[in-house]
Amino acid sequence: MPPQKVIIDTDPGVDDVLALLLALSAGEEELQVLLISLTFGNVDVEGCLLNVVSMFHVIELERKWRLESGLPVGFGCLSAHKPIIAVGADRPLEDEVVLGDYFRAFCSCSPLGGELWQAPHFTPEQTWKHMFATTPVLEKDEEHPPNFRPTNSPAHKEILRILRENPVDSVTIIAVGPLTNLALAAEEDPETFLRVKEVVVMGGNIDVPGNVTPNGEFNTVACPYSAARIYSLTSPTPSSTAPSPSTNKKLKPTPGTFSRRLNLTIFPLDITTPHFLTQETFTNAIAPLLSYPSPSPLAQWTKIFINATFAMLKKIYSGEAPGDTDFSLHDPMCVYYVLTRQRGGWEALEERDIRIETSGKWTRGMCIVDHRGKRVELDAKKPVLLGDVGIWAHCEFGNRVRQMVKSPDEKGMAGEMLRRIYGGA
């Protein structure tokens, strides 16, 4: 069986980087990462670029260390195919920018680790930033990145190009940040965007509280308009649930129908929060690598910002139950699903009509689900709920979202992730 082709759309903070490491450490027979598209979110998009380039720099140091230490080099996925990195949206489609840099992300100008100043050798001298510019200036004999390919094409255009050049239903998009790049791609060429096999999203909260507002999860709050547009593509009639552009006059209204519906699977806080990494588990996993004849660059690097994350959690939840300081693996869970879905054991609620609030003062980014009572047949062709004026129960309208509710092994995910990333898979 050929490897699964994936695009990872991300705003690299701590759990995003773990998700990327999990994907790139996969075997070449498991995944082929075609593109890593960057969006604002945890930090601004320039900080995201520095974070992801630093990650690739450390991976290269790690591979050399493993080779010199007589250990399996790993990262077969990366060895077989160098992914493209593309810079994308630097702000939401509408409204103000909301960044998550109150919570540690990790470049020197971002939350991953304002802590990384402690280990400057993990920050590459060459960031190849100019190669991502609109008009890159390349020196004739310039050194190119060893394990990724930069592009100056905007992320959403790269998404469309890859979907256009690959067969229908052959590419999965794993989206673990605000959905702005995806919305821009769908806006420009919806039929090409709908060639995607599946869009796997970390975002939203259904029956649990939000994590940045009482009702909102960060990724949906950061760009609720984009989330609402993407969710609407699951509807038989997308125009029935898509938000209308209000301040951005460049955005087009969503057409009534398309040739096919989007296959969307979401991982809201309801399922991601219980899948966590404890500090003890993390410390035990990297301890042997730090005491090997020479220490692992990857173990050293991740120790800095992951321990900083645990320290931040302890400050936030001071005095709370010990479990509150565990680090939830929100973004890695989406990659883990793609890697393991063939094993079975995943359970989802199918075709849920989940919609995103785009403009509420207290409810921006809130996931709305209709919990009202039974249908009343007022018209045989149009079943509606009693008193319904929002066409929620109309058979031709409403979104059709797959909400993941159960994984094969809630407690085992963290261990498998660590084994894969640090070479024990």
Side-chain angles (χ1 to χ4, degrees):
M1 243 182 113
Q4 300 182 79
K5 296 180 179 180
V6 298
I7 292 169
I8 302 178
D9 190 73
T10 176
D11 56 334
V14 177
D15 58 334
D16 299 75
V17 167
L18 289 176
L20 288 169
L21 288 171
L22 178 59
L24 296 171
S25 64
E28 61 179 295
E29 75 285 355
E30 292 182 297
L31 288 187
Q32 184 179 14
V33 181
L34 303 176
L35 170 68
I36 296 173
S37 52
L38 303 179
T39 178
F40 78 97
N42 281 305
V43 292
D44 62 62
V45 76
E46 286 198 10
C48 290
L49 177 59
L50 177 55
N51 286 349
V52 80
V53 170
S54 297
M55 179 195 71
F56 275 98
H57 173 66
V58 172
I59 289 174
E60 195 62 18
L61 294 176
E62 176 74 5
R63 292 166 75 184
K64 291 177 181 177
W65 174 81
R66 291 183 186 180
L67 188 63
E68 293 168 357
S69 302
L71 299 172
V73 174
F75 294 96
C77 163
L78 184 56
S79 299
H81 181 85
K82 296 200 309 187
I84 295 169
I85 296 179
V87 176
D90 62 358
R91 60 178 298 105
L93 293 184
E94 296 200 340
D95 298 323
E96 70 277 7
V97 177
V98 177
L99 295 178
D101 52 5
Y102 58 89
F103 193 80
R104 312 304 286 175
F106 79 109
C107 71
S108 58
C109 60
S110 77
L112 231 212
E115 326 299 336
L116 288 185
W117 63 268
Q118 302 174 45
H121 55 293
F122 290 137
T123 301
E125 293 182 9
Q126 170 62 284
T127 63
W128 296 281
K129 182 178 176 181
H130 61 288
M131 291 187 181
F132 296 91
T134 305
T135 308
V137 179
L138 303 181
E139 299 295 334
K140 184 176 180 181
D141 299 321
E142 181 175 16
E143 179 186 356
H144 286 258
N147 50 14
F148 69 88
R149 293 178 290 159
T151 180
N152 65 328
S153 178
H156 74 279
K157 291 184 179 293
E158 280 298 305
I159 292 172
L160 290 173
R161 180 188 64 77
I162 288 171
L163 293 174
R164 197 176 291 120
E165 293 177 358
N166 284 275
V168 175
D169 289 332
S170 65
V171 177
T172 296
I173 297 177
I174 304 172
V176 293
L179 298 180
T180 317
N181 287 335
L182 275 62
L184 288 169
E187 168 82 12
E188 181 169 315
D189 189 346
E191 289 293 349
T192 294
F193 182 76
L194 290 171
R195 292 169 62 89
V196 69
K197 176 181 179 180
E198 181 180 11
V199 173
V200 179
V201 169
M202 189 282 122
N205 54 294
I206 312 301
D207 296 312
V208 299
N211 59 3
V212 291
T213 70
N215 296 304
E217 177 276 329
F218 175 76
N219 288 338
T220 55
V221 171
C223 193
Y225 186 91
S226 293
R229 292 282 286 217
I230 293 300
Y231 280 45
S232 74
L233 296 177
T234 67
S235 173
T237 310
S239 60
S240 69
T241 60
S244 300
S246 56
T247 61
N248 192 336
K249 304 303 180 183
K250 295 180 181 179
L251 296 174
K252 298 173 290 188
T254 301
T257 59
F258 294 109
S259 62
R260 55 188 285 170
R261 294 192 287 115
L262 180 66
N263 180 19
L264 177 65
T265 300
I266 66 167
F267 283 77
L269 295 178
D270 308 53
I271 186 172
T272 61
T273 301
H275 291 74
F276 54 80
L277 174 65
T278 68
Q279 190 161 21
E280 181 182 12
T281 299
F282 174 69
T283 300
N284 290 342
I286 66 168
L289 300 172
L290 296 174
S291 59
Y292 212 77
S294 62
S296 153
L298 183 59
Q300 288 178 290
W301 184 66
T302 51
K303 176 185 176 183
I304 294 168
F305 63 82
I306 291 179
N307 279 348
T309 301
F310 282 119
M312 177 62 68
L313 287 168
K314 288 176 182 177
K315 288 182 181 178
I316 293 173
Y317 295 106
S318 177
E320 300 292 333
D324 287 332
T325 59
D326 296 334
F327 176 50
S328 291
L329 300 171
H330 304 295
D331 297 343
M333 193 169 186
C334 293
V335 174
Y336 184 70
Y337 160 71
V338 174
L339 280 170
T340 66
R341 57 185 165 187
Q342 300 300 327
R343 300 179 191 171
W346 293 94
E347 293 182 15
L349 298 176
E350 301 288 343
E351 298 202 337
R352 298 208 75 189
D353 188 358
I354 301 172
R355 310 186 192 183
I356 306 297
E357 175 58 67
T358 60
S359 59
K361 181 177 180 180
W362 308 116
T363 57
R364 169 179 166 140
M366 181 179 179
C367 291
I368 308 297
V369 177
D370 193 345
H371 294 295
R372 292 176 295 176
K374 64 181 181 179
R375 296 183 178 189
V376 177
E377 300 287 339
L378 299 182
D379 183 321
K381 295 181 180 179
K382 297 181 179 181
V384 297
L385 293 171
L386 184 63
D388 188 20
V389 293
I391 58 175
W392 280 82
H394 193 295
C395 57
E396 297 177 9
F397 300 106
N399 293 333
R400 306 289 192 271
V401 177
R402 180 184 301 105
Q403 178 193 341
M404 199 60 61
V405 295
K406 185 178 179 182
S407 71
D409 188 354
E410 186 175 294
K411 295 182 179 179
M413 177 188 152
E416 181 170 351
M417 179 191 74
L418 294 175
R419 286 191 297 274
R420 284 176 171 270
I421 290 175
Y422 295 111

